[in-house]
Amino acid sequence: MPLTHDEVIDAAVGLLRAHGLADLTMRRLARELQVQPGALYWHVDNKQTLLIRVAERMLADVTTATGAEPVAGIRHLARGIREAVLPVPDGSAVVALGYALDPDSVPAFVRLRRLVGRLTDTPADTAAATDLIAHHVLGSVSDEQDRRAAGLDVHGAGAVFERGLDLALAPIIPATARRSAHGN
Amino acid sequence: MPLTHDEVIDAAVGLLRAHGLADLTMRRLARELQVQPGALYWHVDNKQTLLIRVAERMLADVTTATGAEPVAGIRHLARGIREAVLPVPDGSAVVALGYALDPDSVPAFVRLRRLVGRLTDTPADTAAATDLIAHHVLGSVSDEQDRRAAGLDVHGAGAVFERGLDLALAPIIPATARRSAHGN
DNA sequence: ACCTGAACACCGTTCAAGT
DNA sequence: ACCTGAACACCGTTCAAGT
């Protein structure tokens, strides 16, 4: 039975989870799948596009709180993305690349943009607010992963993440929801 | 005359400016300096710490608007960092690594934190607001650089940056300055 | 003190040739 | 259609030995 595209991506995600980006090499991936390195290029254009598919796969299981009010939905999604990316070494770098090159390829970010759109007045505001939240999530996860990889202290990172999320949400939270914003 | 640490860093910045991270290799750097690759390890521990020094050097000339009111000072610094990093391919990735591993090693970020501190009430708020602004700057520059490298459209990136900066500043701008916040 | 020479264990990508 | 074998042009890092 021949190798499939999905098996290649799954194995790549596994390698990233287990060892980080430095060990996610085309040669190592080929060894894992018991084929020659060149065989991968039948299923994948090159390493860059492989990484974009890996980013999609990493966030494929992030859920949306159905029927939720937008602010709570945004918080839920932001936390879901953080929790999906945090345990994968260098996951934030891979997802950030995917977000930059093709923001619409990752459903979780598409849903985030849609929710933000319900709180903003113009497309430009929607884009700016979505970007701010995405950069906060990916930036704080990146900081935490880089510090962890360097053996530095990461305690309190969760609280810092929540505070930053509050700040990023503040300008788009409707006045009526200002009081009970935290903790939902 | 023997090679100095500073010459190594300068050459590394030059290589990054000219060709990006993929071409900033220890071997290429050695060739540029007309020494053998091993010689670099007398002046630098390894490639990671070299990159942190490169990040410092990249932002060394970002100025602070002296005697300015905090909000205007923060805008000035954020724009200065963006303008210093944007023309250097993959500069945002290098600076983000430096910010994560040693936020105090880059004076521009130390000054940013100090200015933010004048608008926030607790150390936790200062840290969260500084991180949010830093992640916005580095995240939006990273998006723009990644898109440019992939040959995608980047027009309007400057306006998106300014809108995001407004949003990131909104929750810490004093009520007295709310009206005339934009454009200073 | 500072560097060379040479090695070690790797990379991503291409492509003729095989099945 | 899918993969092998082999090559090409590279990597980061170490370290004895030289000056």
Side-chain angles (χ1 to χ4, degrees):
Chain A
M1 54 269 101
L3 206 54
T4 69
H5 176 86
D6 278 13
E7 283 171 329
V8 173
I9 306 303
D10 281 343
V13 172
L15 226 36
L16 193 65
R17 290 196 107 86
H19 306 287
L21 206 47
D23 285 300
L24 174 44
T25 67
M26 298 302 272
R27 285 171 179 277
R28 181 101 193 245
L29 188 52
R31 218 182 307 144
E32 215 80 14
L33 292 165
Q34 311 201 69
V35 293
Q36 294 299 311
L40 297 178
Y41 290 83
W42 183 262
H43 301 281
V44 144
D45 277 359
N46 51 46
K47 192 174 179 180
Q48 251 224 82
T49 67
L50 172 92
L51 290 178
I52 293 177
R53 302 294 157 239
V54 166
E56 289 178 34
R57 185 67 50 94
M58 278 178 59
L59 295 180
D61 295 335
V62 174
T63 63
T64 311
T66 51
E69 173 263 337
V71 176
I74 293 169
R75 281 186 201 280
H76 179 88
L77 258 180
R79 288 177 188 138
I81 294 169
R82 178 177 123 100
E83 274 153 34
V85 177
L86 201 50
V88 185
D90 301 311
S92 55
V94 175
V95 172
L97 184 72
Y99 181 74
L101 296 186
D102 190 1
D104 293 344
S105 69
V106 184
F109 284 112
V110 174
R111 269 145 35 207
L112 179 65
R113 185 177 307 270
R114 196 160 9 210
L115 284 169
V116 170
R118 289 169 58 188
L119 299 174
T120 44
D121 298 323
T122 69
D125 280 340
T126 307
T130 306
D131 277 4
L132 183 65
I133 295 166
H135 293 153
H136 164 63
V137 174
L138 296 178
S140 59
V141 171
S142 171
D143 285 357
E144 194 172 341
Q145 293 184 326
D146 287 346
R147 292 182 59 81
R148 194 184 300 279
L152 300 176
D153 174 50
V154 293
H155 102 263
V160 171
F161 170 79
E162 289 293 334
R163 274 194 173 273
L165 185 56
D166 285 342
L167 290 174
L169 283 172
I172 62 169
I173 286 186
T176 56
R178 281 264 160 73
R179 281 279 113 198
S180 59
H182 192 70
N184 296 338
Chain B
M1 53 268 100
L3 206 54
T4 66
H5 175 87
D6 277 13
E7 284 171 329
V8 173
I9 305 303
D10 281 343
V13 172
L15 226 34
L16 194 65
R17 289 197 108 85
H19 306 287
L21 205 47
D23 285 300
L24 174 44
T25 67
M26 299 300 274
R27 283 171 181 275
R28 182 101 193 244
L29 188 53
R31 219 183 308 145
E32 215 80 12
L33 292 165
Q34 311 199 72
V35 293
Q36 294 300 310
L40 297 178
Y41 290 83
W42 183 262
H43 301 280
V44 143
D45 277 0
N46 50 47
K47 193 174 176 179
Q48 251 224 82
T49 67
L50 173 92
L51 290 178
I52 293 177
R53 302 293 155 241
V54 166
E56 289 177 35
R57 185 68 49 95
M58 277 177 60
L59 295 179
D61 295 335
V62 174
T63 62
T64 312
T66 51
E69 173 263 337
V71 175
I74 292 169
R75 281 186 201 280
H76 179 88
L77 257 180
R79 288 176 188 137
I81 293 169
R82 178 177 123 100
E83 274 153 34
V85 176
L86 202 51
V88 185
D90 301 312
S92 55
V94 175
V95 172
L97 184 72
Y99 181 73
L101 296 185
D102 191 1
D104 294 344
S105 69
V106 183
F109 284 111
V110 174
R111 267 143 39 206
L112 180 66
R113 184 177 306 270
R114 194 156 14 209
L115 285 168
V116 170
R118 288 170 57 190
L119 299 174
T120 43
D121 297 323
T122 68
D125 280 340
T126 306
T130 306
D131 277 4
L132 183 65
I133 294 165
H135 292 153
H136 165 63
V137 174
L138 297 177
S140 59
V141 171
S142 170
D143 285 357
E144 194 172 342
Q145 293 183 326
D146 287 346
R147 292 182 59 81
R148 193 182 301 278
L152 300 176
D153 173 51
V154 294
H155 102 263
V160 172
F161 171 78
E162 289 293 335
R163 274 195 172 272
L165 186 56
D166 285 342
L167 289 175
L169 283 171
I172 63 169
I173 286 185
T176 56
R178 282 264 160 76
R179 281 279 112 198
S180 59
H182 192 71
N184 295 339

